[in-house]
Amino acid sequence: MVNKQNFTPTRTPMPEQPADVRNKNFKEVALGYSKEEAMAEAARCLQCKKPFCQKGCPVEIDIKGFIKHLADGDIPSAYRVIKETNALPAVCGRVCPQESQCEGACILGKKYEPVAIGRLERFVADTFDSDSACEMITGHTACSLPNDQFKVACIGSGPSSLTVAGYLAARGVPVTVYEALHEVGGVLIYGIPEFRLPKDIVAREVGALWSKGVTFMPNYVGGKTITVQDLFDDGFDAVFIGVGAGLPWFLNIPGENLVGVYSSNEYLTRINLGRAYEFPKYDTPAPKAKNVAVIGGGNVAMDAARTALRLGAENVYITYRRTQEEMPARLEELHHAIEEGVQLELLTSPIAINGDENSHVKSMTLQVMELGEPDDSGRRRPVAVEGKTKELEVDMVILAVGTGANPVLLEATPGLDLNKWGYIVTDAENGETSIPNVYAGGDIAGGSATVISAMGAGRRAAKTIADKLGV
Amino acid sequence: MSNKILTKKALIPGQTSMLVIDCPQIAKKAKPGNFVILRIHEKGERIPLTIADTDKEAGTITIVYLVVGKSSALLETLNEGDTILDVCGPLGKATHIEKSGTVICVGGGTGIAAMHHIAKGHHLAGNHVVAIVGARSENMLLFCTELGYFCPELLIATDDGSTGHKGFVTDLLRERLEQDKDVSEVVAIGPVPMMEAVAKVTKPFGVKTTVSLNSIMVDGVGMCGACRCSVGGETKFACVDGPEFDGHEVDFNELKMRLTQYKEEEDLSMQMFRSCSCHGE
């Protein structure tokens, strides 16, 4: 029951950089709650007997439990509760699609605004600090002592592998994480921009894992520098594959290889991993343009569009073949993008990219669409309006139309069963693949999804490995 | 991996150098045709370089680079005993090598270094390897001594005629193909116009022709698509589908234009590097 006496129907606002300031810098957009704000927001929680929010969370955080501690001002206890099931709360508090998970299930949301669970999670994770790596990883002061009897390897260092490493490190199992790029964190580093997820936040989590005995090996390409077989030959007891789904999709339309056409992966990797926004202080060049079109309607499209604005583009368009209602991006990101000046070109689908005499992009031809009958997913299907096209003058096009399974490791791993889309087949319960003692999770096992679902898969696999090893 | 530079040798002083680097893990796996991606300092970019040789026992790889932009100029400032921050590899598909008879390996400029590794592979597979190398002048030719060890025929072309044939490698290639109808494959590595010219020469002879594309890359593991190229009308990624492709199928014009993408930025970087003594950091 809502306690009417001190009930606040709206959530505590999150301090943010003003839109016309932040769209010119790469600093974080949302500034985070103060302790007073966090406690006030925590006090809005009804402490339901049956907490739907917890069911809405892919890793089933005891949400009402941590919020109770927070409402009491007890941050260490709140942190401990979150860490029971979530290895990367500072990350999840920032990038989870809360409106369709925990907050979407919050009972308050039926009539009022749901509790800002994500913001509270972020506050707890950012505020808690301890010298003990064990406490940073688990929230508990006592972790198992190192046990050199076993060793486990992870290939890829994104959210699923970091979860596996944290889970096993807490139980004393030495874990070695191999990463193809030069920095650790996978998509958290190369994919998500600084203004949405500062790298320091990722570095803090990774740092705690280092301190707890996890070894990170950057510049090791799974399937090239090391194979799964090499790892078993080296005496690893189990291997977890968390290499993500990093193969960019293109549309196969004319003009796609013109100068000025980028995959979102290239664009964001240059900016985020290569820090191209600081060129020429950093050596990686950032492609710049006046008028930019981003194709796609997901979070990656929002990230690319908002990045282009920050790099000085005058007009940035997001072209999407359905309407705003159907966009898969997080609501908050879409709103932030619009506030910052991104323009939406809805109900359009690119059919050609046109070049000038130097083979540089000069415009894009868009097919005008309308919404037809709902498809299998329940979303109304976009249908071309016969003969109706429009021309968009742009000098850069960024494709954010999704990614598929990168085959480099898969081709080098005989005996690994893949599904028809090229993703690794795993047991949904325990993450096991067709090869004994080889586990997989995250996007490579299920296709592009969220950070939190990758972490859920990592947690299930890690638990299975731990049980098998008896730790 | 220590990534320590064990040997540095100026092949063409101030312009082209060779490094032998301690990378046991990469040396163990590297095959002809593979490349590595280097990063020289914390603010550096990722640059792809072909592996020119490996010594599995010593755990070393050899790379040869031409000083063209800021990153290669920075690499040139490193000396024996220094460490390269990141060395990642071996990347790309290895050259397809089988015993097939006579193979002509054509190398131009710095490309001779990469060609050398592939020629060696063909020699070890039992092929009769004809090496055709070209450069502007005699003092810019690389690896001729090494090629001489295992290539029964070593044909040289220089632009200025200071040694060998005065003219292009393609002149020598055409002549050689006219003499010998049983050449099983031509491999060409060098500047794009040279590879394009080689493919043009071999086409009427119907000889299988392999070229190695030097596309712009970022991650080098198939994630970004920066290196995409059109081969036989299909988009391929040079980093994972290549870098070697059928020279008769490659859209060289597209490759040339894509290689100019960051020209302005590269010039700016180089200018800044040259104008200060701080190595551009």
Side-chain angles (χ1 to χ4, degrees):
Chain A
M1 284 305 284
V2 177
N3 177 349
K4 292 238 166 77
Q5 267 186 324
N6 57 10
F7 175 70
T8 323
T10 54
R11 39 163 125 199
T12 314
M14 177 73 126
E16 280 174 356
Q17 282 195 71
D20 60 340
V21 172
R22 69 177 192 245
N23 65 8
K24 294 172 196 70
N25 68 52
F26 277 82
K27 289 186 203 131
E28 195 168 14
V29 167
L31 303 171
Y33 281 154
S34 64
K35 190 172 180 185
E36 291 67 34
E37 288 165 331
M39 284 175 68
E41 182 60 23
R44 292 183 64 229
C45 175
L46 302 178
Q47 294 291 315
C48 305
K49 275 223 171 64
K50 280 190 189 160
F52 291 113
C53 52
Q54 187 172 358
K55 288 272 167 269
C57 171
V59 298
E60 297 191 27
I61 296 174
D62 172 6
I63 292 168
K64 76 174 216 189
F66 97 76
I67 291 182
K68 177 82 176 54
H69 289 303
L70 185 52
D72 295 341
D74 180 0
I75 294 165
S77 297
Y79 185 81
R80 197 171 309 129
V81 170
I82 297 174
K83 277 282 182 168
E84 291 295 338
T85 56
N86 186 344
L88 306 170
V91 174
C92 291
R94 287 170 166 84
V95 304
C96 269
Q98 285 102 3
E99 74 264 18
S100 59
Q101 298 179 344
C102 53
E103 294 176 14
C106 174
I107 201 84
L108 267 186
K110 300 256 184 264
K111 256 183 119 170
Y112 312 102
E113 286 186 349
V115 175
I117 300 166
R119 296 171 183 180
L120 295 180
E121 182 185 22
R122 169 187 161 146
F123 170 80
V124 172
D126 285 1
T127 315
F128 180 78
D129 202 7
S130 165
D131 289 338
S132 151
C134 172
E135 203 172 4
M136 288 305 291
I137 291 173
T138 66
H140 294 278
T141 43
C143 284
S144 302
L145 291 168
N147 176 347
D148 289 338
Q149 203 186 333
F150 304 113
K151 54 177 187 171
V152 171
C154 296
I155 304 178
S157 69
S160 64
S161 286
L162 293 179
T163 304
V164 172
Y167 192 97
L168 292 172
R171 283 155 187 79
V173 179
V175 179
T176 307
V177 181
Y178 296 93
E179 164 58 47
L181 295 173
H182 59 257
E183 220 171 306
V184 170
V187 71
L188 306 176
I189 292 294
Y190 75 77
I192 305 177
E194 186 82 11
F195 57 79
R196 200 150 74 81
L197 178 64
K199 283 185 193 183
D200 290 352
I201 299 288
V202 183
R204 195 165 98 125
E205 305 283 5
V206 170
L209 291 170
W210 267 114
S211 316
K212 189 67 188 85
V214 176
T215 306
F216 289 96
M217 304 285 276
N219 300 310
Y220 270 73
V221 183
K224 292 285 186 186
T225 324
I226 36 127
T227 62
V228 170
Q229 190 55 51
D230 292 337
L231 294 171
F232 285 122
D233 291 347
D234 277 357
F236 282 94
D237 298 284
V239 175
F240 176 80
I241 301 174
V243 295
L247 184 82
W249 283 341
F250 289 87
L251 293 168
N252 293 317
I253 58 173
E256 226 165 11
N257 291 349
L258 286 167
V259 174
V261 183
Y262 301 88
S263 74
S264 52
N265 265 10
E266 176 183 358
Y267 189 69
L268 292 173
T269 302
R270 282 181 176 278
I271 309 291
N272 301 332
L273 179 76
R275 296 195 189 239
Y277 59 92
E278 293 194 60
F279 179 86
K281 204 171 128 199
Y282 280 72
D283 292 341
T284 305
K288 282 191 184 174
K290 247 189 191 158
N291 301 303
V292 179
V294 180
I295 302 170
N299 289 327
V300 177
M302 300 300 144
D303 286 344
R306 296 169 71 194
T307 298
L309 273 182
R310 283 161 172 76
L311 286 173
E314 288 169 17
N315 292 294
V316 178
Y317 309 97
I318 283 187
T319 73
Y320 180 59
R321 58 199 185 125
R322 303 179 205 236
T323 72
Q324 201 172 320
E325 306 298 307
E326 290 85 18
M327 276 197 176
R330 283 183 68 199
L331 225 50
E332 184 178 317
E333 306 311 333
L334 176 63
H335 287 162
H336 278 156
I338 294 169
E339 274 175 13
E340 287 167 12
V342 171
Q343 302 162 54
L344 302 183
E345 272 290 337
L346 300 165
L347 289 166
T348 56
S349 177
I351 48 176
I353 301 168
N354 314 303
D356 62 14
E357 62 283 1
N358 299 318
S359 300
H360 196 287
V361 174
K362 69 164 197 215
S363 74
M364 189 162 69
T365 309
L366 298 166
Q367 169 68 53
V368 175
M369 313 293 282
E370 62 187 0
L371 288 185
E373 295 302 309
D375 62 11
D376 294 347
S377 71
R379 295 190 302 176
R380 290 179 66 192
R381 209 159 49 88
V383 187
V385 180
E386 197 75 38
K388 207 170 166 196
T389 61
K390 62 169 152 181
E391 206 77 358
L392 196 61
E393 264 189 47
V394 287
D395 50 353
M396 185 191 287
V397 175
I398 302 168
L399 296 147
V401 292
T403 56
N406 184 314
V408 171
L409 172 71
L410 311 181
E411 281 172 2
T413 314
L416 193 63
D417 282 355
L418 307 179
N419 68 17
K420 63 173 174 173
W421 298 284
Y423 298 113
I424 301 173
V425 177
T426 55
D427 182 305
E429 289 300 307
N430 57 29
E432 272 178 313
T433 70
S434 53
I435 304 176
N437 299 317
V438 175
Y439 301 78
D443 287 0
I444 194 59
S448 295
T450 56
V451 166
I452 188 85
S453 64
M455 293 173 55
R459 191 178 158 75
R460 284 191 292 278
K463 189 173 181 310
T464 314
I465 295 169
D467 288 349
K468 265 201 181 174
L469 298 177
V471 292
Chain B
M1 272 185 246
S2 86
N3 301 344
K4 195 170 174 182
I5 298 171
L6 302 180
T7 312
K8 179 179 179 178
K9 200 168 135 190
L11 300 179
I12 305 168
Q15 199 216 61
T16 305
S17 295
M18 181 181 96
L19 302 177
V20 178
I21 313 164
D22 180 48
C23 294
Q25 203 67 38
I26 298 177
K28 198 163 95 185
K29 299 271 179 173
K31 294 200 173 85
N34 286 144
F35 64 95
V36 287
I37 284 198
L38 310 184
R39 207 169 62 112
I40 299 146
H41 65 145
E42 279 299 336
K43 293 172 183 164
E45 63 181 332
R46 299 168 63 88
I47 51 168
L49 286 170
T50 308
I51 298 171
D53 208 353
T54 58
D55 184 333
K56 291 185 196 328
E57 276 165 37
T60 61
I61 60 166
T62 301
I63 56 162
V64 171
Y65 59 91
L66 177 71
V67 179
V68 274
K70 183 188 168 182
S71 294
S72 46
L74 261 173
L75 186 57
E76 183 65 6
T77 64
L78 299 184
N79 292 306
E80 286 177 8
D82 289 344
T83 292
I84 297 174
L85 182 61
D86 300 302
V87 184
C88 176
L91 302 169
K93 281 200 165 44
T95 309
H96 178 76
I97 293 176
E98 57 178 4
K99 191 166 189 302
S100 61
T102 300
V103 175
I104 302 180
C105 295
V106 188
T110 317
I112 303 172
M115 183 278 261
H116 154 266
H117 199 203
I118 293 166
K120 192 171 162 188
H122 276 291
H123 162 72
L124 293 173
N127 290 321
H128 176 88
V129 182
V130 180
I132 302 180
V133 295
R136 281 216 294 277
S137 71
E138 185 178 9
N139 59 358
M140 297 177 120
L141 284 165
L142 313 175
F143 282 86
C144 283
T145 316
E146 291 84 348
L147 285 166
Y149 295 145
F150 54 79
C151 297
E153 297 174 59
L154 173 61
L155 311 174
I156 297 171
T158 52
D159 293 358
D160 64 0
S162 48
T163 185
H165 166 76
K166 181 175 191 309
F168 298 122
V169 285
T170 40
D171 306 334
L172 298 171
L173 174 66
R174 189 179 293 110
E175 217 171 276
R176 188 65 183 70
L177 286 171
E178 277 162 0
Q179 285 164 19
D180 184 351
K181 302 289 171 215
D182 284 332
V183 172
S184 58
E185 187 180 354
V186 172
V187 179
I189 307 183
V192 180
M194 184 210 93
M195 294 192 288
E196 187 179 14
V198 165
K200 234 177 228 162
V201 166
T202 60
K203 185 100 201 228
F205 292 94
V207 186
K208 180 185 171 192
T209 302
T210 303
V211 294
S212 180
L213 305 189
N214 54 334
S215 318
I216 292 174
M217 290 179 189
V218 182
D219 56 271
V221 293
M223 260 181 48
C224 82
C227 64
R228 64 194 189 277
C229 47
S230 295
V231 182
E234 271 180 64
T235 294
K236 299 276 181 191
F237 290 179
C239 70
V240 289
D241 300 319
E244 291 173 11
F245 294 102
D246 180 342
H248 298 143
E249 299 279 328
V250 170
D251 182 340
F252 285 104
N253 283 332
E254 185 185 277
L255 174 66
K256 278 185 268 185
M257 128 217 142
R258 288 190 64 83
L259 282 170
T260 64
Q261 282 183 84
Y262 295 98
K263 182 94 187 45
E264 237 173 79
E265 288 86 352
E266 282 161 14
D267 289 349
L268 174 65
S269 265
M270 194 56 188
Q271 210 183 316
M272 288 183 60
F273 177 75
R274 290 278 185 235
S275 68
C276 78
S277 55
C278 57
H279 299 329
E281 282 171 35

